[in-house]
Amino acid sequence: MKVDDIKTIGVVGAGTMGSGIAQVAASAGFKVVLRDISDEALERGMNIIKKSLSRMVKKEKITQNQADEIINRIKTTKDLSDLKDVDYVIEAVFEKMEIKKELFSELDKLTREEVILSTNTSSLSITEIASATERPDKVVGMHFFNPVPVLPLVEIVQGLTTSDETVELAYQLAKKMGKTPIKTKDQPGFIVNRILVPYMNEAAWAFMEGVGSAEEIDQAMKLGANMPIGPLALIDLVGVDVALDVLEVLYKEFGDPKFRPAPILRQMARAGHLGRKTGKGFFTYEDKT
Ligand code: CAA
């Protein structure tokens, strides 16, 4: 398959990442089938997309007409079998290996054999996800960054069994979606999260130890290290649960105590204080999208 043969992309998961990926794909002219398991999840996902597009209309980056066309290219569904005719799949569901393996096994049975099944996982093993399919050479990581419409990078992750052709196609597709791909090997956290998430974790430890308030820690990193947002606001943006999941993987896979998650993250996850998406994390938010 060539990149120009890809007309329709199936996106599985309409959360923060899945909706952003669907938006970027539709903006690049692809038809998108966006799947999640409930009407509420799909509605929330479409609201995130509409809000992001209307921001772009306001900034005169796109016209209202273009925004409408982008929305019209996205079809939502709760039925996975609606992905049976797509030309490429990008999965963006919860960071739980068992869920991903089950899903990839279903997608493997459902889609045409030449279709590449990619995952937006931020830290799980591509090689292990691929092992749940009969096409491990066609499973690849395509890791986008939050907010997807704004950040240019996509990490293209080659698992042990991923073919060079698959990597090349994912690379070309990311470019066609207007992104800048960088190839990386299947190591926990790939490039960005291996470096970025321990930084966020350290901020959570500092907060727990009373080094400063959440505001002070974040202001310090913005003013003293020129970060666009502080590390605690970044945890809220990414999701406390997601940051914790990534840390757990880094900690377990490397077996190195430097990745030990700050206990406050686990407490916050248990309390449902997941950051922006629930309206409360290290900071509070009126708008949950
Ligand atoms: N959709 C469309 N446009 C958006 C947007 C969205 N969701 N969010 C922000 N923008 C646009 C704004 O309209 C604005 O546009 P202009 O430059 O034309 O004015 C621009 O982006 C900057 O936004 P703001 O002025 O509102 O605020 P900001 O300067 O703080 O930028 C930000 C927002 C781009 C999110 C910035 O804070 C930032 O880069 N933060 C760090 C994000 C980051 O590190 N993400 C990686 C997280 S790790 C991850 O995702 C991987 C993982 O697996 C855990």
Side-chain angles (χ1 to χ4, degrees), residues 17 23 48 51-53 55-56 59 61 95 120-123 143-151 192-193 196-197 200 228-229 234 237-238 242-243 246:
M17 298 305 288
Q23 177 185 333
I48 296 175
K51 201 177 142 206
S52 172
L53 290 173
R55 204 165 169 162
M56 290 166 147
K59 299 253 169 158
K61 288 180 188 162
E95 289 289 80
N120 176 59
T121 184
S122 46
S123 61
H143 184 214
F144 293 78
F145 293 82
N146 185 0
V148 181
V150 182
L151 296 193
V192 173
N193 278 348
L196 183 67
V197 177
M200 289 149 68
I229 57 174
L234 187 55
L237 176 75
V238 165
V242 175
V246 176

Side-chain angles (χ1 to χ4, degrees), residues 116 136-140 156 158-172 183 185:
I116 287 175
D137 57 316
K138 293 197 177 63
V139 176
V140 64
I156 306 294
Q158 181 161 27
L160 192 68
T161 51
T162 315
S163 70
D164 291 345
E165 293 73 31
T166 297
V167 168
E168 192 50 35
L169 192 68
Y171 188 91
Q172 293 305 333
K183 293 179 193 169
K185 293 288 178 210

